[in-house]
Amino acid sequence: MKSVFILADKAWAGGNLLYKWQKNTGNYIAVAGQDNTVKIFDRHGHKWTELNLPGRCVGMDWDKDGDILAVIAAKSSSIFLWDASVNKTSQIDSGMSRDQMSFILWSKTSPLLAVGTAKGNLLIYNQQTSRKIPVLGKHTKKITCGCWSSQNLLALGSDDNTLSVSNHEGDTIRQTTLRGEPAEICFSVMKTDERSSQGEGTVSVSVEKKILMLFSVNDPENRIELTFQRHYGNIVSYRWYGDGYILIGFSLGYFVVISTHIREIGHELYQAQNHKDSLNSVAISPVLNMAASCGDNSIKIQDLSNLKTMSSIVRLDDETKGLDQLNWTDDGQLLAVSTQKGILHVFLTKLPILGDSFGTRLAYLTSLLEVTVSNQVDGEKPVAIQVDVEPTFIAVGPYHVAVGMNNRAWFYALLDQKPGFNKLKDIEYLGTIASMCLNSDYAAALFEGKVQLHMIEGQDQEEKKQMKLFPDDDRKGRILCHALTADFLYYGTDLGNVVCVLVEDWETVSSYSHSVGVRKVFPDLNGTRLVFIDDKNGGFLLSPANATNSCFELPNFSPTITGVLWDNWHADRGVFVAYDDDKVYTYALHKTTIYGPRVVLVGSTALLYSQKPLLLHNGELTCQTASGKTSNVAMSTHSFLKNSTSTVEEPLPELSEQLAQALMLKRFHEACDLCKSAGTDTDWAELGKACLVHMEVELAIQVYRMSGNVGMVLSLQGIQGIEDMNLLAGHLAMFLGEYNLAQDHYLSSSCPIAALEMRRDLLHWDSALMLAKRLAEDQIPFISKEYAVHLEFIGDYVNALAHYEKGMTHDNKFQEHNETCQAGVARMSIRMGDIRRGAAQATQHPSRVLKKECGAILESMKQYSEAAQLYEKGQYFDKAALVYIRCKNWSKVGELLPHVSSPKIYLQYAKAKEADGKYKDAAQAYESAKDWDNVIRVLLDHLNNPEDAVRIVRETQSIDGAKMVARFFLRLNDYGSAIHFLVLSQCNDEAFQLAQQHGQMEVYADIIGSEATQEDYQSIALYFEAEKKHLQAGRFFQKCGQYSRALKHFLKCPNTDDNLAVEMAIETVGQAKDNSLTNQLIDYLMGESDGMPKDAKYLFRLYMALQQYREAARTAIIIAREEQCAGNYRNAHDLLFSMYTELQAQKIKIPAEMATNLMILHSYLLVKIHVKRGDHLKGARMLIRVSNNISKFPAHVVPILTSAVIECHRAGLKNSAFSFAAMLMRPEYRNDIDQKYRKKIEAMVRRPDTAELEEETTPCPFCGFQLPQNELLCISCKNNLPYCIATGRHMLKEDWSVCPHCEFPALYSQLILLLETETVCPMCSDTLSIKQVKKISDCSTYLQTDELDQ
């Protein structure tokens, strides 16, 4: 609230003031103090006139129109009337000369003045007719208060404690007595459920300042008396408002609201202590819907719709004595407060909302005589201009401000230096100005249907020239609205014309005719586009520059909209808002989209009460308020900008909503940032789509790249840089799936063929054919073919045939295409039932596949013979054969059989042949079909050919076939074969029974082999046990794991040469691992049970089976010794060798005796090899070693010694030959010498030659001591030396190799030499070649000394 002026007068000091605002307009205020004058001031505080009275002013009132002020004074019976329109005072005599005037009041509806006197008399004066009606004795005492109703009833209260109600003639209608003195009488309407049409039927009166009494005029006795809590104090004042509510102020500062509804009466709806100590007065402004109270030294103003919130508080700190009366003007603009000191304060509570903007500059009314110019966007300081009159309009331009009222306008220039403005001049126009617009040079004023355009600053003579009236012809209609931009004047007429005038030369540039009158026009800053509102409250956007579709209707345009503002932000050339009293609607013009230009409603923002938008800049709306300030409103449609300056922190909408707003406002970069911050895949897709719709190709590429849509990026890069907008729009519409739109764009572009290509790619053949007729007739055959393929696929064969025929070109260049069409014609002909034509075409056609397709169609139509012929022509022999079989054409099937691969066909053919009794053909066909069971059946049942049947069963292992063969042999009483095939067919039980019946159990047992189950073995064993066939019984008991029974039977077996039973017994004990069974067998082998010791080899085998290798080794040595004695040296060698390797594998130390025996036997075996190779020295050396151990070879002493003599002699070892010859001359050997050699040996002994070849020495592999080659014991380190299996010599470190099979060592050089003639290892007799032998450089692992069991 702003203080407008303060009135103080010395004469008023210290007393209470009486004052009244002029009714309706509130242009004057009449004030009376303790002196004998009434001073009249205007609404700006300037004293207008003064009325001098004979005494102190007792009462005054303005008539209903505010034209006449009536005043009564003490010590006078006259009534003084001041006429405001002519500033004249007149006087009327009341005719009650002895009576003091005490009360005066004008009627609300007619020119009637009621005057009451101190003696209770009444005068009613009619101002129009000057008729006076005196009513004497209306009351007995002083009339103190009263009120007129809207029905011209007059209620009066008097000190005689009565209240009277009279009509306008002064006749008393009702009179009622009160409990005390009345004060403040009001007529009103009590709140009821239904609207009463009786008018103001309720009278309210404050009695004794304690009780508020209500009664109906028609029923004064039935009254309602309301009393209040004592701590509220006395009733100071009360006011009716709204729908039957009463606001009451109490002397102790309380402020109470009650309802007069009969159900709610007596309830306080609101109560507050507004003032701490006292309350002096309350007032209500229905226009503002506000209540004011004054008390202590403050004024408080509250909104009646929400009493809990204070809208403003004014403290008057100088008023120490307190405040007095409070009154509002009827329009609610000014509030007057008188004080106990006799001062009157006037405050501005509501300003007319007047304002204008140009670009980002605003001009708006901030007080009754003050206009403020500001430009917040550019950061300019506001300039306050004091104006001469209260303006009814304001206009602002880049450098000027104009204000005015009626037909006058005052112009001010805006300056940079203080005070910031300069008054230029005032101009009178030819009529009352409805509105005015300015630009940098010109002003345009609208009055009485015309617009006057003139220069703002120019010389007077020039101005006459620089002025023009529009329209120049009255027939062009009345102008209803206009607007001025930097270059253009726009105006709209009642005939619906929107005219654009170029200001420079005042020529009409363009004119648009609308169907109804145009009420308002709002161009944008450049004047290239404008929004207009027509008489039907429709909104339209007009682009005068755009020849085609220049006018768009605005979507969802509210009929209550009063104005439009364009966004001044540089980037938003197409954004504007339309506003009404409650809401602001944001619109955006999408100038370049694939759908063409269009306007969209982005959303709406709520406005607070009484705010008028003045400026829109980047989503922020600057509004003017009733208090003469501006407030900024952040548009909800621009929430994505996050520049909210509004005080209410509203939560931001969802990201997807913000994104949608940004896209509708074409703020793509902000949208991109939103997506980067937290966008989902859907958000990115929306952004990409919007870029495509708005044809922002570069940006769309970036967006799709960020969201990872590679295909779209590649597609867009392909169309980047296309300058033909229609072609570009077509491509983009196609990407968005808007194919019809894309086609329209393509057809209006420089490349209409693109539409055809698109339709072809989409398989829209109908459209493609229509386009091809217009654009590319040479493409019709190819499109027809593709369309025909599609029609054939969906089963529309009639049209498919037609299109295939259309698709034929008679050009050899397109041979493949023509063949496809011919094939289609063939297929469709068959489908349509023209089989001959179709089959003929298919036969002539080179394609095999076509013959197959047509064959299949014919087959599905049950035309088997034609189908088969086509299949055969196409070399689909399997299919042909199947179809021939269907039509029972066996001869054809037979012809095709050599080419057929399908077993199914052979099978069907075989069955047919068998049915015909051609069994041989049937058997062959079954065999080709690999149906072995049927082959066997035919061979046995019809062809009596068991040999082939048996062969097939053996080859195929067919179970059913085996059964058939078994049955065949049974019929021939060949039980062995029958059992054999029963087992093959897994009929073990039947085979067993058959074997049992016919004593063929051995056959059964042999056949069943390892295949049978434990139960089978047991049943066979039990059978043999019953038959006393111990060996067989034992075998099968062993197989089923009953080892003790098996052993019992084995031991019962009679001794035969091969002693199979003993071997089986050993195997059984080995498997059983049971000590008692082992001991039982050992006793048997030792002969303890029957006194006949068995061969030691069985004992050896037993120990081996039991894995008792040491015992086995000892036994092996014994057996080997026996073999040696018997002269079986190879057997003895192999036995010892196998034992040796077994012990080595089990990591058991090898007995020294075994190693030695093996070495000597091996040396013996080497002799033969070397002698055979002619290497007599090596043979002689080995024979020397053997002869030195001749006792180990008792069976062949003489032959060995004889060989030794001969070989030593040959090798030049004469001394050794002599010593062995001498041995042979012993009497026990002499007679056994072979007669061939006897003489020579005797001669050697008689003439001894002791010459001996010295034996070479080589180092010991352990210690390096030089030893004879064949010495196997080192005399230096006492180690047994490993020997070479090829020569018998001790090993050498640097010439080491091993046999890869038995791992016995050999001298590498010697073994290689040996293998030139031999093919096996001399030790283990496994095949060996030179390639397999490798030289070993590090032989330390083989030189372990602890391998032998000393």
Side-chain angles (χ1 to χ4, degrees), residues 154-168:
L154 175 65
L156 296 172
S158 158
D159 285 349
D160 62 3
N161 292 359
T162 61
L163 184 148
S164 65
V165 178
S166 317
N167 63 13
H168 65 281

Short mmCIF file of all heavy atoms in Angstrom, two decimals, residues 154-168:
data_model
loop_
_atom_site.label_atom_id
_atom_site.label_comp_id
_atom_site.label_asym_id
_atom_site.label_seq_id
_atom_site.Cartn_x
_atom_site.Cartn_y
_atom_site.Cartn_z
N LEU A 154 -36.95 3.37 4.53
CA LEU A 154 -36.02 4.12 5.37
C LEU A 154 -36.14 3.61 6.80
O LEU A 154 -37.24 3.62 7.38
CB LEU A 154 -36.34 5.62 5.29
CG LEU A 154 -35.54 6.53 6.21
CD1 LEU A 154 -34.06 6.51 5.80
CD2 LEU A 154 -36.06 7.96 6.14
N ALA A 155 -35.04 3.10 7.35
CA ALA A 155 -35.03 2.66 8.76
C ALA A 155 -34.28 3.71 9.55
O ALA A 155 -33.21 4.17 9.15
CB ALA A 155 -34.34 1.32 8.87
N LEU A 156 -34.87 4.11 10.73
CA LEU A 156 -34.23 5.15 11.55
C LEU A 156 -34.12 4.66 12.98
O LEU A 156 -35.00 3.95 13.49
CB LEU A 156 -35.06 6.43 11.52
CG LEU A 156 -35.19 7.12 10.15
CD1 LEU A 156 -36.18 8.26 10.23
CD2 LEU A 156 -33.83 7.64 9.69
N GLY A 157 -33.02 5.04 13.65
CA GLY A 157 -32.84 4.72 15.07
C GLY A 157 -32.75 6.00 15.87
O GLY A 157 -32.17 6.99 15.40
N SER A 158 -33.25 5.94 17.10
CA SER A 158 -33.33 7.18 17.89
C SER A 158 -32.91 6.90 19.32
O SER A 158 -32.91 5.75 19.77
CB SER A 158 -34.76 7.70 17.81
OG SER A 158 -35.05 8.55 18.88
N ASP A 159 -32.60 8.01 20.01
CA ASP A 159 -32.22 7.86 21.44
C ASP A 159 -33.39 7.43 22.30
O ASP A 159 -33.21 7.13 23.48
CB ASP A 159 -31.68 9.20 21.96
CG ASP A 159 -30.27 9.47 21.44
OD1 ASP A 159 -29.70 8.50 20.86
OD2 ASP A 159 -29.74 10.58 21.58
N ASP A 160 -34.62 7.38 21.71
CA ASP A 160 -35.77 6.90 22.51
C ASP A 160 -35.84 5.38 22.51
O ASP A 160 -36.85 4.79 22.87
CB ASP A 160 -37.07 7.51 21.99
CG ASP A 160 -37.36 7.10 20.55
OD1 ASP A 160 -36.55 6.29 19.99
OD2 ASP A 160 -38.35 7.56 19.95
N ASN A 161 -34.70 4.71 22.05
CA ASN A 161 -34.58 3.24 22.06
C ASN A 161 -35.63 2.57 21.18
O ASN A 161 -36.11 1.48 21.48
CB ASN A 161 -34.67 2.65 23.47
CG ASN A 161 -33.47 3.04 24.30
OD1 ASN A 161 -32.59 3.73 23.82
ND2 ASN A 161 -33.44 2.60 25.56
N THR A 162 -36.02 3.25 20.08
CA THR A 162 -36.93 2.60 19.14
C THR A 162 -36.29 2.65 17.76
O THR A 162 -35.39 3.45 17.49
CB THR A 162 -38.31 3.30 19.08
OG1 THR A 162 -38.10 4.63 18.64
CG2 THR A 162 -39.02 3.26 20.40
N LEU A 163 -36.82 1.78 16.90
CA LEU A 163 -36.37 1.72 15.50
C LEU A 163 -37.64 1.73 14.65
O LEU A 163 -38.55 0.96 14.89
CB LEU A 163 -35.58 0.44 15.27
CG LEU A 163 -34.95 0.26 13.90
CD1 LEU A 163 -33.65 -0.53 14.05
CD2 LEU A 163 -35.84 -0.47 12.92
N SER A 164 -37.66 2.67 13.64
CA SER A 164 -38.85 2.76 12.79
C SER A 164 -38.46 2.44 11.36
O SER A 164 -37.33 2.68 10.94
CB SER A 164 -39.45 4.16 12.85
OG SER A 164 -38.53 5.08 12.28
N VAL A 165 -39.39 1.87 10.61
CA VAL A 165 -39.20 1.62 9.18
C VAL A 165 -40.32 2.37 8.45
O VAL A 165 -41.51 2.13 8.72
CB VAL A 165 -39.24 0.12 8.84
CG1 VAL A 165 -39.08 -0.07 7.35
CG2 VAL A 165 -38.20 -0.63 9.61
N SER A 166 -39.94 3.29 7.55
CA SER A 166 -40.94 4.11 6.84
C SER A 166 -40.77 3.91 5.34
O SER A 166 -39.72 3.48 4.88
CB SER A 166 -40.72 5.60 7.13
OG SER A 166 -40.45 5.79 8.51
N ASN A 167 -41.83 4.28 4.59
CA ASN A 167 -41.68 4.25 3.13
C ASN A 167 -41.16 5.60 2.65
O ASN A 167 -40.90 6.51 3.45
CB ASN A 167 -42.99 3.86 2.45
CG ASN A 167 -44.08 4.87 2.71
OD1 ASN A 167 -43.81 5.97 3.19
ND2 ASN A 167 -45.32 4.51 2.39
N HIS A 168 -41.00 5.77 1.31
CA HIS A 168 -40.37 6.99 0.81
C HIS A 168 -41.27 8.22 0.99
O HIS A 168 -40.83 9.35 0.80
CB HIS A 168 -39.97 6.82 -0.67
CG HIS A 168 -41.14 6.63 -1.59
ND1 HIS A 168 -41.78 5.43 -1.72
CD2 HIS A 168 -41.80 7.51 -2.39
CE1 HIS A 168 -42.78 5.56 -2.59
NE2 HIS A 168 -42.82 6.84 -3.01
#
